[in-house]
Amino acid sequence: MKRSILFGFLTGSLFLVNACAVNPVTGKKQIVLMSEAQEIAMGKEADPQIIAQYGLYEDPDLQAFITQKGKAMAAVSHRPNLQYEFKIVDSEVLNAFAVPGGYVYFTRGIMAHFNNEAEFAGVLGHEIGHITARHTVSQQAKAMLGQVGLIGSMILVPQLGEFAQPLSQGLGVLFLKFGRDAERQSDDLGVEYSTKIGYDASEMAGFFNTLERKSAGTGKGELPDFLSTHPNPADRNVAVNNLSVEWKKKLNLTNPQINRDSYLRKIDGIIYGEDPKGGYLENNVFYHPALKFQFAVPQGWNYENTPQRVQMAPKDGRALMMMTLAPAKSLDEAANAVVQQNNLQVLESNRVSVNGLNAIYMVADVKPQQQGQASSARTMTYLIEYGGNIYMILGASSPNDFNNYAQYFSQSMKSFRQLSDAQKINKLADRVRIKSVKQAGTLQQALTSYSVPQNRLEEVSILNGMNLTDRVAQGSLIKVIAQ
């Protein structure tokens, strides 16, 4: 279980104080809700929660690369005094994000889709720009009004947001949707910073095209991708290209670096897509090879897999379902903990068997905050004892919607069973493999020569940042997907 749904705010005692401060980038005064010390404290508190949610991607050489480039760029930024940290997190989603105080994260998914160092440097500068211009700090108050994530559409049903809060770590502040002005400013800073350390910043514009093609090509509604958290103005590519020309002239940069081949060799072997060892979804069934269990996911529901839980929601956002380990020694202890931690009033509870496994089934309402009020959400929970663990599968919706979703909850929960299929248990991860073009021709011809399946040609062309009809020279490097 390896990806995350993020809601709400960071825990801790950060005291928000209205203050007028000078923006480090613009030099103009602005109203902010926290001091720099509080901003740094927020980042320090968020970092271990982010690592717990995603996990770090273990690749020392790639990690050393982003740290080296990040430190070089931070030194030429508008806030070189911050103690920046740069990390690759273990998620296939295409995203990069920054936390106040100097923390910058890239998913392995976005690292796999860069095709040269200059593309990476442009996005790195963009994220550092959010920190140096204090965009997240300026937006922080607005985050109180909404949620983000796979089931971010629950803002249409606020009572679910109230119930979901204890189910997830409070990290919603990390994925704020910035306004166009903030995005343009971060694009500008990405161009400035990447040019200052010697890269061709116009390559960032090309990567925006890759992101747009990837976003258009997936119907999975996955959370969170770079374009969902970074709105894409129509003139973004043109603006970046024009500004990159200006900065090259300003810095007299006559030989800007792109470094395509060296970057491709750095990501040779990076995991592509879900890593099966942490669980994976296939044909609407979730399999976990290490823990040897499986259960069905409702067809058409969005799905997220984190190191701590699997979460699912229909596209209308009017319900949610999650599966996680219950830290208890017995089913009764687990049931009591679910009731207490989520402030539930039990309506029905029974001892049941789920595919031969001992279990407890409960239907319960969230207790209203004030006497006389109606419940804000109704839940169905199965607690299942298996393999020395207790698994909790919980579904929630508004009381009015509960009967519409109860069948989905029940079918999924009752499908929990032992995984014994050796083929599913031993499934290997897909990886990006770097190959040399055998003969000059089109990208499609080169990919076909390496046995890329017909139904994945477009996907792999996006991965390469090229069109299938683009010409490739003999000996040039391309990406393929293989185990």
Side-chain angles (χ1 to χ4, degrees), residues 87-395:
K87 298 178 182 180
I88 302 172
V89 293
D90 191 9
S91 169
E92 74 269 30
V93 176
L94 272 70
N95 204 20
F97 54 94
V99 176
Y103 294 81
V104 178
Y105 305 86
F106 285 79
T107 63
R108 61 171 168 81
I110 203 169
M111 297 300 291
H113 279 79
F114 292 129
N115 280 286
N116 56 57
E117 290 185 16
E119 288 181 348
F120 161 77
V123 175
L124 175 64
H126 178 104
E127 296 306 327
I128 291 177
H130 280 310
I131 294 172
T132 59
R134 306 196 82 193
H135 290 154
T136 305
V137 173
S138 299
Q139 283 284 88
Q140 190 220 21
K142 299 177 185 178
M144 298 176 185
L145 304 177
Q147 301 166 338
V148 295
L150 169 70
I151 45 182
S153 55
M154 284 199 314
I155 58 176
L156 301 176
V157 191
Q159 62 267 31
L160 281 188
E162 174 188 330
F163 178 72
Q165 178 65 36
L167 301 184
S168 301
Q169 297 291 335
L171 299 174
V173 71
L174 307 182
F175 298 107
L176 295 172
K177 291 187 178 181
F178 298 111
R180 288 194 171 193
D181 288 345
E183 286 302 320
R184 285 194 180 99
Q185 187 177 42
S186 281
D187 281 350
D188 292 351
L189 293 170
V191 171
E192 177 182 345
Y193 297 160
S194 60
T195 307
K196 283 183 174 179
I197 65 168
Y199 285 105
D200 187 344
S202 66
E203 292 293 312
M204 180 167 61
F207 186 66
F208 291 155
N209 294 331
T210 295
L211 290 170
E212 288 171 349
R213 289 177 65 197
K214 185 71 175 180
S215 180
T218 177
K220 298 168 71 174
E222 294 176 339
L223 151 87
D225 64 33
F226 192 86
L227 293 181
S228 71
T229 54
H230 299 70
N232 193 24
D235 61 351
R236 192 175 193 178
N237 291 5
V238 175
V240 165
N241 272 313
N242 291 341
L243 191 62
S244 68
V245 172
E246 294 176 17
W247 271 104
K248 287 170 194 173
K249 291 180 179 177
K250 188 180 296 186
L251 298 174
N252 194 27
L253 184 61
T254 57
N255 186 30
Q257 299 300 300
I258 294 177
N259 297 351
R260 183 177 186 274
D261 287 3
S262 61
Y263 182 80
L264 293 179
R265 291 188 178 99
K266 285 182 177 69
I267 62 167
D268 189 12
I270 194 170
I271 292 176
Y272 177 85
E274 285 194 287
D275 185 352
K277 72 179 182 182
Y280 63 97
L281 184 67
E282 185 176 278
N283 297 325
N284 296 310
V285 178
F286 179 81
Y287 300 99
H288 201 292
L291 297 175
K292 292 185 173 58
F293 68 80
Q294 67 181 72
F295 65 88
V297 173
Q299 187 171 5
W301 281 36
N302 289 335
Y303 144 89
E304 292 293 341
N305 180 16
T306 79
Q308 294 138 332
R309 60 183 65 86
V310 179
Q311 300 189 77
M312 299 147 280
K315 294 186 184 301
D316 63 12
R318 303 188 72 88
L320 67 88
M321 186 161 49
M322 62 169 290
M323 195 282 303
T324 188
L325 287 170
K329 296 179 180 178
S330 69
L331 287 172
D332 289 330
E333 182 183 335
N336 289 333
V338 170
V339 170
Q340 294 299 317
Q341 291 170 6
N342 296 294
N343 194 31
L344 299 179
Q345 180 179 347
V346 178
L347 305 178
E348 182 182 354
S349 178
N350 294 301
R351 287 262 178 175
V352 296
S353 176
V354 175
N355 295 307
L357 304 173
N358 293 327
I360 288 179
Y361 156 80
M362 291 191 300
V363 174
D365 282 350
V366 176
K367 292 179 182 178
Q369 294 182 350
Q370 296 181 6
Q371 191 171 4
Q373 287 184 337
S375 173
S376 60
R378 179 161 293 175
T379 69
M380 178 188 293
T381 306
Y382 271 77
L383 293 155
I384 304 170
E385 198 169 32
Y386 168 64
N389 295 316
I390 296 174
Y391 293 87
M392 180 188 77
I393 312 179
L394 182 150

